[in-house]
Each structure stands twice: as structure tokens, then as C-alpha cells.
Amino acid sequence: MYHLPVLKNRRTLLERAEKFISDIYFTDCNLRGRLYGDSCPLESLACFLTPKRITFSEASKQIFDPCKVGDTFGPTWWTCWFKATLKIPESWRGKEVHLLWESDGEAMVWRDEQPVQGLTKEGEKTSYILSECLQDEEPHSLTLYVEMACNGLFGAGQGSQIAAPDPNRKFSVQRAELVVFNRDVRELLTDFEMLVDIVKELGEEEQRGYQALFTVNEMVNLCDPSDPSSFAKVHSLAGTFFNQRNGESQHTVHAMGHCHIDSAWLWPYEETIRKCGRSWVTVIRLMEKNPEFVFTCSQAQQFQWVKSWYPGLFSSIQHYVKKGQFIPVGGTWVEMDGNLPSGESMVRQFLEGQRFFNKEFGRYCKEFWLPDTFGYSAQLPQIMQGCGISNFLTQKLSWNLINTFPHNTFFWEGLDGSTVLTHFPPGNSYEMKGKVEDLVKTLKNNKDKGRANHSAALFGFGDGGGGPTQLMLDRLRLVQDTNGLPKVQMSTPDELFTRLQADSALLCTWAGELFLELHNGTYTTQAQIKRGNRQCETLLHDIEIASSLALYRNNTFPYPAEKLQELWRLLLLNQFHDVIPGSCIEMVVEDALKYYEGEFLQLLVLVRASSIGVSPVKDTPPVTPVSVTVQVSILPFDLVNCTAINRDGTLASLYLISGNRESISDGCLGNQFVMFDDVPLYWDAWDVMDYHLQTRKPVAEVVQPVHVVSSGGLRGSVSFTLRISDKSTITQEIIMDAMCPYIKFSTEVQWAESHKFLKVEFPVRVRSPNATYEIQFGHLQRPTHRNTSWDWARFEVWGHKWADLSEHNFGVSLLNDCKYGYSVHKNTMTLSLLRAPKAPDATADMGIHHFTYAIMPHTRSFQEASVIQCAYNLNFPLRLIQCSPDTMPWSAFSVTSQAVILETIKQAEDRGGVLVVRLYESHGSSVTATLRTTLPVREAWVCDLLEKQDPNRRVSFSFFGVFISPPCLILVFLALAPW
């Protein structure tokens, strides 16, 4: 009896199988070449171009001119609408018929005035199914519209993906035809692809890999691409392999469809709306055919956009949310930056997001979903817990440049001890493709083997949208339980975290921030956006307080709830993790600044309309005036600080008289501007690399030396101008106000540099292994040394309004009004001021900048020295209003403990006559404090951050005040009696 020879050469067998399904080699005779059968051109194709993104209703009324495949359209960011007339041949009866469409630009198919399919060549979606099995009663002639954006999935970068967009790029349609799609060929190709990938991924060390190799080789032997009758045996042979099951102990991968869509990045906000429509309508089509398919989707803002622009699609989404297939996740308005927004902004992200999800879908999210931001504040666990969220998913720390984060599943502990169950998908991606590689990586990379036997795998094209495909679902379905691979089940986030929680006894805990060792240039890039954010956070704070108090001073005052929500949502949108960090194109920057400017003006109108607590100001001479001497040093008579200033504006001395201490280090200069070369490895707007520190150059050229601006009294100040280069200058006024414990540096920079980094240094006479930085509702310490690689990776860190370096009984604080990047190495405190990256915005940070920072030497600890209050004073200046001479001073609230900050006063959501008062303990201790108010309080309750009243925590109060014991962050409902 004749026996086939036993082949042993792994390479030849593997490559034989690869070529059999290749879309490049031997397509005239291999299986891939049989994917499509007959084809038929369109009856007609016509188009019209528009610079605007318009509705279908408006587009369908336009005049369409004839066009053909191969024509080009543009320029970048325009839209080309196509009108396609189709006629399906009668001979295709019983066959699966597709419209095959391949174009450079992202596209959407419209049928019967509704969006029905997204088409994205880069996202492997190039066909729209006209019929799965053509019947006589189905329409054979029809008209479709295709809306094509003149941009790709990742915008239109000139030369590289993250380069500034090419404004004059043209886009073309390469294919537009009807085809017969051979579903049996597609299924067989999937069998071959998965077996080939198993061979590759399991390698030569695994017996199972060789079983896959010989199986796929025998499948090639049996398969005749020209004879579909051979397919059944081949498919059966593959099924025998895939149906060999795993043992009970095998790791389980929880597969979830996912489509990360940046709300703005390499494209503007408006294009994101269409990305959502294209991606999500495709998801709905998949759900219609795959009832087991589960899709996770975050960002309430994007749901709101779809509701406004695609109401029919939104209704379908609501239907599948009820069915448990379309899962809203995250609980926030957008996937915000995890470092830069204020504590109040982070609370509002959850408040607006959770309320939206509950209103539209009848559910609150249980998990925080932030896979792609640039680090995670240590305050997030407490904020999450306060918003009803106990689980957290991300993967971005897998991008760490220096150190490998030690866990994938763990408990994350915040500042106050709050913990959340946290999961980093071990595959280190939020856009897997359902391939064997993804599953093997998920299993091998799991750093908590033995502690956690369940992991997430998020599949679908992302960043620019696209989402899952039918092929991805087919791949995962094929290997649900295949020996040699982890088990795969379609799952929800709730199912995943329930399993992780059930087996959490051995999980480790990580305390403190989750610091990303990359992208730390984003603390500084696009300074105008960061300034706008800080200013609008401040204004919204003031308006809410003013409006709340005006409401109870004048019962006819209309609290501007709708306007405040609109403005908050705009601010929250700009806190998206590619906008406030500055890692976006120029069009996005323009939109963001336009939102800030409009918000700023509207808020100023609101603040003028409000009646607030007042304290009349009289023209009273200061008890201890300031004096500026001719020697160009600021000498206050209040015995706080004595400052000697050189002709170039540097501080030769900063002497704290009350502490008998010099603040500036011997032989050094404070307020020293320094420039660095700033050329990262790739991510231009994102990264500053450690080697930039080796290129330090002081700014030394004096254009105008120090001269007196104000000689003293209430204020003394001097000014000077320095030249950075022939294109850039610094003009600064150094200010000391009477009885003020800090010196201000009001700064204007004319900036026109390229790949440079401007900072200001204060070498101080303090020695401490740690510096303290303000974060949301608190502060944390970071090392000032570089002993370990973990310390070294923090060469550039973020903070909010202040940073402090203290030893026992003395310290120096650095305050600012709109900056976020810091460095404290040994005894040198550095504030990062301006960068000049050229991608993805070639004009990033060019122009005139205004900002203020301050230096504050102090005795005792920074808590006892009121550094926190001083930073608030710098950022929240008193607002002057005109009042009559007989106006009596009036204050609505006061707190007995200096440690407790009354952060927010606002009207409760959907509850007139109720105020929400948010307080937090700022010193890092536990205190009992009394909140006193002159408002007529009827009752008071503790509530969570979603403003849900806790029936078990009624607050005791008397005529004089409400008593609270905040562990760190607390919210109190004050139900008020009529004034």
C-alpha cells in the first residue's frame, strides 16, 4: 500500500500554507484568489464636494456631477458625497452580493435616508452587504449614497502619521463595484489563517504547534480552490483540531468588542462625530448577525453627538443596550487626561457622564474606563468610589519607557486608602484583532499568574475608530476552547470584574499614583490650552458660588443651571486626553481656544449678574508698606522677605527675615531662566527625554536691565527684558505686595522657537529626599534623588498650583497660575514654562504667552505656613464689584479648621432649594471641623459625588453651623429654608 512521505521541514510546510492564502503571491491559483466571484460595474456614479460636514437631508438635495473610479477629490477635510446607482444581475440569484468600495477617505453608506455601514480601508471594512442570498423579491436596482471624508482613519499627516496634516491632499476611490462574495471561501481562509498563526505563535518548542502545522499542510493537500465541493472535508479537518478542548485550569480570556475613538486628535471634533457614526452603525450591523457579540463603549459626549446627528442610530444603540450587547462604560463625559484636570473637574467628568448614562440607558457605569491617557492621579480611586465605581481598566502603563509595571490585576489604593480593583489587559492593547498572537500574548504577559486566571482582550480598530469586524468575531468563535490556547468567551466588563473579585484573595495592592514613564512633555505643550483650562475652572468655581448665594439673597434670581451645564461640558470636552495635553493638530487647538474664549466671555456676563458675599474695601494705608531701593532690591518693612535682584532679573538673595534664613543656595541664582534642546525620539508633542537635561543653557542676554516700576507702598515692583534668541524674548515684572508672603513673577514671553524647552530654576537652601506636589484634592511626595530607575523616570513630573521642598521648620514653595510641569532634583526647584514641538501641530506654542508664578519661603511645614491657601489666592483673586458706601460685610460660609478647604458651592442637580457644599481635608490628616453658614439651613446630609443622599449620614447642626469630620473629601447637602 502506498503511503505519502512524512515531511519534516517546518519552514517549507509553513510557507506553503502561507502562500496558499496569500493576497500577494499565487492569487491565480490559491484560495485567496477565490474570495470574490463575478463582478459588475455600477450603473452610474456621481458626486459633489463640500467644505462643510452636512446632514444627509441637505446632501441629497445637491446637484451631483458624473465621476468615475480613479478620480481624485479634496482638499483635506472637505467631504465628497457620492450617488451610486446599482443594478444586480439576475444571474446572481442565490448568491451573497456586496458593494465593494475602496477609498483613501473614510466613508459611510446611506440607504433609505439612514446610515447603514462604515467603510474604512485602513479598518478592513471595504464592503457593504446588499444581500446574503439574493432572492427574486429583493430589489435588484437601487440607489445608495456614500459620504466620503477627505481624511484617512488617522487624519492626513504629511510624511508620517503624527506629522501636521497636509492641507492640500487629494483622495480617490480605487474600487466601486458589485461583487459576488464567496462566504465558504472566507470561512476556510479563517481556518487556514488561525492554524498558520498557531504554528507561528507556539513555535518549535510546543507539540501543539506541530499538530497545527501538519493539520494545515494536509488541508492544503485536500483543498482544490477551483472545486468548492472539496471545501467541506478541509473545513472538517480544521474543526477536528479546533474542537480538541482545554483542561479546566486553562486561563480564560474575556473578549469584548471595542472601538477607542479619540474625541479629537489628528482630526477635529466635528470629524469625530462622523467617526462615531461610521463605527457604531457597523457595530449594530454586527450585533444583528451575532447575538453573542458584546461591545464596550465609553465617553458620554460621543453618545450625545450621535444622539444629535444620528437619532435613528442612537435608538438602535438604546435597543442593544437593553439587550446587554452594547455596553456603555467609563462613567465620564470624555476619556479625560488623568493628571491635569482639577479635582472638581474630575468629579464633574463623572457627574455629567454617569447622569447621562443613567438618563439615556437607565444604568450607571460600574467601571472606570481610561485605556489611553498619560498617567493616573493618586486621587482617582477616591473619586471613583465616590461616584459608585469600584473597578478600573486601562493599559497605558505598558508604554513605560524605563520600568515594567509589575502587575496586570491588582488593587489600586488612593490617597485616603480607597481601593479599586484594577485590570491592565495583558495583551497591552485596546485594539486587538482576535488573532492567535493576541491570545498568546494575553496569556504569556500576565504578570499575576497564580493570582488571576482571567483577563480582558479588547478587539477592534481604535484611536481613529473603525471597531470590530466580522472576521475578528469569526476568529474568536473558532478558538473558544482549543487546546494549546487560552479559553475565549465573549464577555462584559461586569462579568470580568466579578470573576476577578471572586478570586482576589492573593492580589497585590499598589498605593499612590500610576505614573506613566513617557509623554511627560504633555504637562507643558500647548500652554494656551492649559491656561484656558485653569482660568475656566476658576471662573466656573466663582460663578457657581456667586449664583448659589445670589439665589438665597434674591429669590427671584434665576440660577443658570442649563448654561452652567453647557459651559462645564465644553470645559470637560477640552480635557480629553489629546486636547489638554496638547498632543493634537492645530485645528483642534483652535477649536479648544475658541471654546475657552467663548466660555470666558459668557462666564464674565454671569458673574456680573450675580449678587455675592461682599466685604467693602476702604482706602487704608498698609501697616507694613513695601519699599524698592535704588540698589534694585525689594525691601519690605514687614520683616517677611528681603530680596536682592540682579540686573538680569535673577535673585541673588531671598532672605526670610522672620526665620533668619536665606532661601537661595550659596553661589547660585534664583529665577534663572534656562533653555534646553528638546528633540524626542518620536512623539514630538508628547515626549521630553531625559537626555535634554544635558543641554542646559542659561538665558543671559539682557535687552532692558532691571528698573523700578513701582517704588512701594501697597506694591513694589521692578521689570526687565531678556533675549532668548533673535526670535524670542522674556519680559517680566517682579512684584511684592504688602503683607504678602510670596513674591510674584508676572511674565510675558514672545516665543518663536523650534524644539526648545524653556524653564525657570530656583536653587534653594533646603535639603530633603522628597518634594511635595499638589494634586487633585490633596498632595503627594516624589523623590528629589535618582537612586533607582523608578526615581530617574520621574525627571519631569506634574503638579497643580504648587510644589514645596521642605526640611524641618523651613521650606520653599513654588506657586503658579497655569503651569503643570515640575522638576525638583536635589535642591533645585524647576517650573516648566514653554515647549516648541512641531508635530502634530507645526505652530504649537508659537506667539505671546502670559503667566505668573511665585516663590514663597516659609518657616514650619507648608501646611502650617498656609502654602495651600496662598496658592488658592494666586489662582482665585478677589473680584471687585461696585457697591454702595453703606454696604455691610457679609460672608455665607466659614470653616473652623485651616486644614479643610471649602472647594465648591453649587445648586444640587435637579433639586431646587438645595445646595451642595464640597469640602476636602488638605493637610493629609483627619480633623473635626465646623462649617458655619449664615444661610437658613433646614437640614443637612452627607452625599456621594453623584449627589445621592446617604440616608444614614445626616449631619448634626445647630443655629451656628454644620459639624463634619472629613476623612479627605466630603459632600454635604444643605436643604435651605426660604430666605
Side-chain angles (χ1 to χ4, degrees), residues 392 394-395 398 405-410 422-428 441-442 444-449 451-452 454-455 500 507:
F392 175 45
T394 186
Q395 62 82 47
S398 66
F405 193 79
H407 301 295
N408 287 101
T409 304
F410 59 99
T422 300
H423 181 66
F424 297 174
N428 298 336
K441 188 182 293 185
T442 296
K444 288 184 176 180
N445 287 1
N446 180 21
K447 301 182 189 71
D448 295 283
K449 296 180 180 76
R451 287 189 287 262
H454 296 262
S455 297
L500 292 175
L507 294 182

Side-chain angles (χ1 to χ4, degrees), residues 55-67:
T55 64
F56 173 83
S57 176
E58 184 178 350
S60 62
K61 298 173 184 175
Q62 305 302 312
I63 297 174
F64 287 75
D65 297 320
C67 65

Side-chain angles (χ1 to χ4, degrees), residues 623-635:
V623 175
T624 52
V626 175
S627 175
V628 179
T629 71
V630 294
Q631 289 84 10
V632 198
S633 59
I634 299 179
L635 297 172

Side-chain angles (χ1 to χ4, degrees), residues 7 145 242 266 286 288 390 487 545 582 700 729 759 807 930:
L7 300 178
Y145 290 85
F242 290 124
L266 304 176
L286 290 173
E288 292 169 350
S390 55
K487 294 180 181 179
I545 291 178
T729 58
K759 306 183 185 185
E807 58 191 34
T930 300

Side-chain angles (χ1 to χ4, degrees), residues 45-54 59 62-68 71-84 101 103 105-110 144-151 170-173 271 274 278:
L45 186 65
C47 70
F48 91 92
L49 272 165
T50 172
K52 298 181 179 179
R53 298 171 180 88
I54 61 177
Q62 305 302 312
I63 297 174
F64 287 75
D65 297 320
C67 65
K68 62 183 184 299
D71 287 350
T72 59
F73 311 92
T76 307
W77 308 123
W78 282 46
T79 299
C80 189
W81 284 82
F82 296 90
K83 185 176 182 179
W101 181 281
S103 61
E106 297 183 85
M108 171 89 91
V109 180
W110 291 79
L144 301 177
Y145 290 85
V146 179
E147 175 191 15
M148 187 187 81
C150 291
N151 54 263
K170 296 290 186 176
F171 296 79
S172 66
V173 178
E271 190 56 41
R274 299 200 296 190
R278 289 188 288 260

Side-chain angles (χ1 to χ4, degrees), residues 53 76-77 106 150-158 160-166 262-269 271-272 275 463-464 576 578-579 582-588 682-683 685-686 839-841:
R53 298 171 180 88
T76 307
W77 308 123
E106 297 183 85
C150 291
N151 54 263
L153 196 62
F154 292 94
Q158 191 165 11
S160 75
Q161 178 179 294
I162 66 166
D166 178 356
D262 288 319
S263 290
W265 180 30
L266 304 176
W267 51 87
Y269 285 127
E271 190 56 41
T272 305
K275 285 177 175 287
D463 288 332
F576 179 74
D578 277 309
V579 179
S583 50
C584 51
I585 62 173
E586 184 180 8
M587 291 177 72
V588 179
Y682 176 71
W683 297 100
W686 294 259
D841 177 7

Side-chain angles (χ1 to χ4, degrees), residues 25 76 238 486 495 506 537 609 720 775 832 846 868 908 918 927:
Y25 303 102
T76 307
E495 290 170 343
L506 298 178
E537 286 178 334
F720 63 94
I775 66 169
S832 297
M846 298 299 98
I868 299 169
R918 192 181 334 278
V927 298

